[in-house]
Amino acid sequence: MKLYVVMVGLPARGKSTLAKRIQLGLEQQKISAAIFNNGELRRVLHGMRSASPDFFNPDNAEARELRRQISLQNMERARAWLDSGGDVAIIDATNGSEEQRATLVATLRDRPILFIECVNNDALLLDASIKRKTRLPEFSCLSPEEALESFRRRLAYYESVYAPLGKERCWMRVDAVSNSILAEAPSNALPYYAAIRDIVVSRWVQHLYLVRHMETEYNLEGRLGGDPPLTEQGFRQAARLAAHFANKELPYIFTSTKRRSAQTASLLLQDRPGTVRMALPEFDEINAGVCEGMRYSDVLERMPLEYQARARNKYNYVYPGGESYAMLKERVGRGLRRALFLAGEGTLMIVGHQAINRTILSLFLFQRAEDVPYTYIPQTQYYHITITQRRKLFELSDYDVV
């Protein structure tokens, strides 16, 4: 059984990340898969010349023909690989116009085709993904501002001819952020469809390091929330954490908007010019409302009924003017989806807070709701998480704190 998988979608929508996940997932099931990327072939054949926005202008007849030839050559590479024994050839390109997809269908007549369209309507993620694209080598001769303007012009050309899937025989439209299938036209006769569908909707994490911020005065005093800085001991802890990860690749570090989270990450970011740090409000600690800055003993003394209500049902208890653990699930889940999308299939770290990290773990572990507020989240250890279809790893590790 042989299959072509053709990726569809505007740039920065997660096509290449999903293509890599499909390849890895199939290979884990002993199904050989390979990716054939139009952009990589374009850069090999035409180099920096092809980075110009005008190369993607649909009214530029010469460039349009060059892009057509790149697409045809990439299709032939995919066909030859299947002929030589491969099972699934994944063609990774925008393939945004109906004309382009008709050419694919007419050319690849020898095996069935599954079209997979990636969409991403999250404005924050789209902006971050576009900025990430401008760090590609083909923009190295431009300033960050020039690279961004150049890529946005390229994107506008793609948008001018883009048409979503709908007329093709077998296809699915995927929300690349939530890993959900929005619409599909499946075929029972299509090989590997069920396996690919399962891969698409699964959450994949190659390496997630989940860290709690280091010590603050509020921690020592048992105070709720607030925005305190790290103590001297907290900075020493952060330095040891950074030393522990010195030889580990960390392309992305996500923090909350709170000082203690940013300060913990600051030492990790030293000597890592290529690491992207992004502060997401979704990872801010649970809002304790009117209890912010209070000790638990203060709450017991001044608000005994609230203290008792929290003790009876810690997961659903809502601080007056604040949040409950139950309310965290939605916003923390949104932050986690954003972080995983931006990190792609790579490595990331989240420097969170006690309630936040408990909630993140619960999204992976499917704990009983009433158990979530009691998950152990130490400041002297971190969680390492790996999730694929074939492997699930949760380990609590030390980083040599003294």
Side-chain angles (χ1 to χ4, degrees):
M1 295 188 296
K2 310 282 185 175
L3 176 68
Y4 294 107
V5 172
V6 175
M7 307 304 295
V8 176
L10 291 167
R13 264 62 176 188
K15 294 187 303 300
S16 294
T17 295
L18 182 56
K20 291 175 184 176
R21 191 197 314 162
I22 292 170
Q23 179 191 28
L24 178 61
L26 291 174
E27 288 178 344
Q28 288 181 348
Q29 298 180 49
K30 311 302 182 185
I31 302 167
S32 61
I35 296 173
F36 300 87
N37 185 285
N38 280 22
E40 292 178 0
L41 183 59
R42 168 180 61 79
R43 286 184 281 272
V44 169
L45 295 177
H46 302 287
M48 297 297 292
R49 170 193 176 194
S50 68
S52 167
D54 197 49
F55 191 84
F56 304 89
N57 185 345
D59 295 328
N60 183 335
E62 179 185 359
R64 187 173 65 247
E65 176 59 22
L66 289 176
R67 287 187 285 113
R68 190 181 75 85
Q69 291 298 327
I70 292 168
S71 179
L72 290 172
Q73 186 170 336
N74 208 31
M75 283 187 260
E76 289 307 313
R77 292 169 65 224
R79 188 202 310 275
W81 184 79
L82 291 179
D83 288 342
S84 67
D87 296 319
V88 178
I90 304 168
I91 298 176
D92 183 11
T94 301
N95 296 316
S97 72
E98 293 180 348
E99 178 185 357
Q100 288 173 307
R101 298 196 292 268
T103 299
L104 280 156
V105 171
T107 305
L108 303 176
R109 290 173 167 272
D110 51 318
R111 279 106 179 183
I113 300 175
L114 169 62
F115 290 94
I116 300 180
E117 181 180 17
C118 286
V119 299
N120 166 21
N121 295 317
D122 187 313
L124 182 147
L125 292 185
L126 184 57
D127 183 66
S129 297
I130 289 172
K131 290 177 179 176
R132 178 175 59 186
K133 290 283 190 181
T134 62
R135 294 195 294 272
L136 289 171
E138 63 188 86
F139 296 106
S140 59
C141 62
L142 303 177
S143 69
E145 295 75 18
E146 290 170 335
L148 185 60
E149 193 274 337
S150 176
F151 190 82
R152 289 194 183 280
R153 284 178 57 199
R154 180 193 302 190
L155 182 57
Y157 287 135
Y158 276 122
E159 290 172 336
S160 69
V161 297
Y162 189 82
L165 292 176
K167 297 180 179 180
E168 292 72 19
R169 182 178 178 185
C170 300
W171 59 271
M172 67 172 71
R173 181 173 299 114
V174 178
D175 185 323
V177 181
S178 65
N179 300 330
S180 60
I181 296 175
L182 303 175
E184 60 183 326
S187 169
N188 293 332
L190 201 67
Y192 311 118
Y193 186 85
I196 292 172
R197 196 179 195 280
D198 186 37
I199 294 167
V200 165
V201 300
S202 298
R203 176 177 285 156
W204 285 58
V205 182
Q206 292 298 337
H207 295 287
L208 165 60
Y209 297 104
L210 185 61
V211 176
R212 185 181 173 189
H213 67 79
M214 302 295 101
E215 181 190 88
T216 70
E217 289 293 340
Y218 271 34
N219 295 142
L220 295 176
E221 298 171 3
R223 294 184 183 274
L224 292 162
D227 192 19
L230 297 186
T231 62
E232 290 185 8
Q233 170 67 358
F235 278 108
R236 286 193 291 270
Q237 291 173 338
R240 289 188 170 88
L241 177 71
H244 177 80
F245 280 92
N247 297 319
K248 290 185 172 67
E249 183 183 9
L250 288 176
Y252 282 88
I253 297 177
F254 296 91
T255 70
S256 73
T257 65
K258 303 299 183 181
R259 279 190 295 177
R260 54 198 186 273
S261 176
Q263 288 174 341
T264 299
S266 64
L267 296 179
L268 286 154
L269 290 165
Q270 291 180 358
D271 302 319
R272 293 181 186 270
T275 295
V276 175
R277 179 239 167 179
M278 181 173 291
L280 296 179
E282 288 90 345
F283 293 148
D284 286 354
E285 180 60 301
I286 188 170
N287 182 358
V290 299
C291 298
E292 285 278 314
M294 294 173 64
R295 299 179 180 90
Y296 287 110
S297 58
D298 297 331
V299 179
L300 176 60
E301 179 182 345
R302 303 175 198 172
M303 309 169 68
L305 295 180
E306 294 295 335
Y307 187 92
Q308 294 165 15
R310 181 177 180 274
R312 285 194 299 270
N313 190 345
K314 193 173 178 181
Y315 183 77
N316 290 298
Y317 172 78
V318 181
Y319 286 101
E323 295 176 299
S324 66
Y325 270 92
M327 294 165 67
L328 291 182
K329 185 175 182 179
E330 180 179 349
R331 74 165 166 94
V332 172
R334 181 174 63 250
L336 180 61
R337 290 192 298 272
R338 284 177 160 177
L340 293 177
F341 177 86
L342 289 174
E345 299 303 308
T347 299
L348 70 154
M349 176 182 284
I350 297 174
V351 182
H353 303 259
Q354 180 167 255
I356 298 308
N357 290 9
R358 285 170 170 167
T359 303
I360 290 173
L361 285 174
S362 75
L363 296 173
F364 290 112
L365 296 173
F366 304 104
Q367 294 169 283
R368 296 186 309 169
E370 59 266 32
D371 295 336
V372 173
Y374 302 99
T375 305
Y376 183 48
I377 307 291
Q379 287 172 314
T380 57
Q381 295 170 296
Y382 64 90
Y383 282 93
H384 175 212
I385 301 170
T386 296
I387 301 287
T388 69
Q389 285 183 308
R390 307 284 293 218
R391 184 177 184 228
K392 291 179 173 55
L393 169 68
F394 295 85
E395 58 180 353
L396 186 59
S397 300
D398 298 312
Y399 57 86
D400 188 31
V401 172
V402 296

